[in-house]
Amino acid sequence: MGTNASLKDFLRYRLRRVIVLNLLLLITLLTTLYFSLALGPVFHEPLFIIKVIEGKELNPTFITILTTQRIPRAISAILVGASLALAGLYFQTITRNPLADPYLIGVSSGALLGVSIAYRLGFTIKNTYELAMVAFLGSLIGFTMTLAISKVTGFHSLSLILGGLGISFLLNSVSLFILITSFEFHKVLIMLFGSLTAASWDLNYLMILTLLAGTAYGIAMFKGLNALMISDDEVRSLGYNPNILRFITSLFSALMASVTVACFGLIGFIGLAIPHIARLLLRGGNLITLIPTTMLVGAITLMVSDLVSRTAFPPHEIPLNTITGLLGSPILIYLLIKGARRGLTSY
Amino acid sequence: MVSLAIKGVSHSYGRNEVLRDIDLNIDGEGLIGILGPNGAGKTTLMKIIAGLLKPTKGDVLIDGSSINGLSPSERAKLVTYVSPFINLSMNITVIDYLTMGRYPWIKLSLSKEDYGVLEYVINSFNLHRFLHRYLSELSSGELSRVIIARAISQGTKVVLLDELISFLDLGHQIRTLKKLKELAKGRMIMVSTHVLIPTLNYVDKVVLLKGGNLVKFGDPRKDINDSDLSSLYGVKLKVLREGSNILLDIVE
């Protein structure tokens, strides 16, 4: 690679690879979306698109289910998956810790506590924006508590996670206590283990807003955030302020994660595993390529999880958290072992 | 040409004073060594020169303008600071890390000049084989070379390399210092280190620091004597000169 052209060639090859990968993911997303619309416990129409093309009429019951339930729910799945995965990616970036996940560092649990208190005070899922607001405040409190513990214990990567787990258990218990004294068990279960049953256009509009804000922020600040993964001195030497960057990033990440909790309860694993998978697929940690890939993989994973959750044992729904864990952790473990054998990861 | 003026710089972390009234004028280009025992204030001085740390007292002027008066983005185009203490766990590749050096200059995508600079540092430090690797996959010597290359890729007039040659073996220390001397044409490169003999032989000027005080600034071939180095490290040393080569003898 002695000439100017060959570095360009190398970068061009890499860019082409990123584009092909994202196109494949997009095709996978659309395929998943199709099945997510076609399949369900109440009504199976695996080949409905053929009927539409042939001009045959669809069953009116199916159309109603499609427009009032499956389409908003599939969109919710895409938005929740992308939001949680992106929030995880940002938290990992600002803590320089590949194990960070909103579910593990007190963010989701703080949001849950906020929502629980709001429910206790008489708010319902119809008060979407108020719920999102208290969830956001709660998530900031949870994250601040985790950071405080992590700081006292020396800021290394495991102290963040262990402190975060401690805070999460504490806040979840308090939330459970509040919820269980005011609601039927089923609703409590949904909040604690996640479900997209409540999906609606109103919730989707809210999540589109927060996801767009989070994505735009990450793309606008990708240079500073990339440098943040190296060191604070690196950030300063390049002319950015690491503390301001960390603060604003945590606001955007907490916002994205807490809105999903307000709408659909706790959904773990996505924020931890998806950025890992995206890094392994891309073979790199540059945020400008990680942001779109992480969102795509997150959306696909959550849509598949939701599909399994509502079609595996009809008419019952399996809690989403169970599926995300079952689907995701083996992938994560497999990729980690494979990566570690090749020396790809840094553990 | 660069002119660096350190004017009455003192710095304290809480009650602990780590730099005391440093006055130093360094004019022109070249390779400058900063030597001193542990806790002498080398890193603090470098971070103050780079504008990463605001001194408790005094000021640093580069080409006549105060480093703390510049906007952070202007400062990033004038001075670079790197240290070996970086995080390796986030799967950053060598080429992405090297490209970070161009961030202060990049508008939307890499310009012809950005490609030129990157190609130049890749060639200078022989990094072709490493471009796609993660930083965590490099040996400590390879990583030091990559970090130095990253510093040069920022393309600033003043480049501060903190402790970076300390992690290299003797051969790489000498090759790196030679390379840095070559690269120091047209810019000022400062290296802080405990690596004594190779540094004294390759730098143009050396700054000796001890306990936060400036002990001496000068040409190691003329201005540095036995008692300077002996008092610096608290062991009796004798400076032997053969032509332009500098050797050290341990007297104790």
Side-chain angles (χ1 to χ4, degrees), chain B residues 23-196:
Chain B
D23 266 303
L24 195 57
N25 285 298
I26 309 178
D27 281 322
E29 52 193 46
L31 185 60
I32 318 284
I34 300 186
L35 298 178
N38 292 324
K42 303 187 291 292
T43 296
T44 306
L45 181 62
M46 288 188 123
K47 285 191 176 176
I48 287 172
I49 294 172
L52 266 52
L53 205 61
K54 233 183 136 146
T56 326
K57 232 179 71 201
D59 202 1
V60 173
L61 308 178
I62 296 179
D63 287 341
S65 50
S66 161
I67 194 74
N68 293 303
L70 295 173
S71 77
S73 58
E74 284 173 316
R75 197 194 71 213
K77 293 178 179 177
L78 193 63
V79 47
T80 309
Y81 169 90
V82 292
S83 87
F85 305 110
I86 66 172
N87 179 281
L88 305 176
S89 65
M90 300 305 286
N91 292 16
I92 300 292
T93 56
V94 170
I95 183 64
D96 284 335
Y97 180 51
L98 294 178
T99 309
M100 283 183 204
R102 300 309 299 164
Y103 282 176
W105 309 90
I106 293 175
K107 293 279 183 290
L108 270 172
S109 61
L110 293 176
S111 68
K112 218 172 171 164
E113 196 195 334
D114 295 323
Y115 276 113
V117 173
L118 288 172
E119 190 63 38
Y120 174 68
V121 298
I122 290 165
N123 284 331
S124 296
F125 291 92
N126 225 341
L127 300 175
H128 311 90
R129 291 191 298 125
F130 302 120
L131 294 185
H132 65 282
R133 289 219 204 148
Y134 294 147
L135 296 178
S136 57
E137 295 171 356
L138 304 174
S139 73
S140 58
E142 289 161 354
L143 184 62
S144 301
R145 273 155 60 205
V146 167
I147 296 174
I148 295 171
R150 143 73 189 85
I152 302 297
S153 83
Q154 200 167 325
T156 56
K157 278 182 173 179
V158 179
V159 178
L160 303 152
L161 308 174
D162 198 359
E163 291 285 0
L164 273 153
I165 46 177
S166 312
F167 293 86
L168 300 170
D169 63 46
L170 184 67
H172 272 113
Q173 283 172 3
I174 291 169
R175 278 189 286 275
T176 303
L177 283 164
K178 256 185 182 162
K179 181 58 73 184
L180 287 175
K181 194 167 176 127
E182 210 179 294
L183 291 166
K185 287 180 183 118
R187 74 189 107 209
M188 183 187 294
I189 300 180
M190 294 181 118
V191 291
S192 78
T193 182
H194 295 302
V195 175
L196 225 48

Side-chain angles (χ1 to χ4, degrees), chain A residues 180-203:
Chain A
I180 216 145
T181 52
S182 40
F183 291 106
E184 67 270 34
F185 193 64
H186 177 70
K187 179 143 196 192
V188 177
L189 213 59
I190 284 181
M191 291 310 291
L192 275 182
F193 295 102
S195 164
L196 299 189
T197 359
S200 72
W201 286 111
D202 279 345
L203 299 186

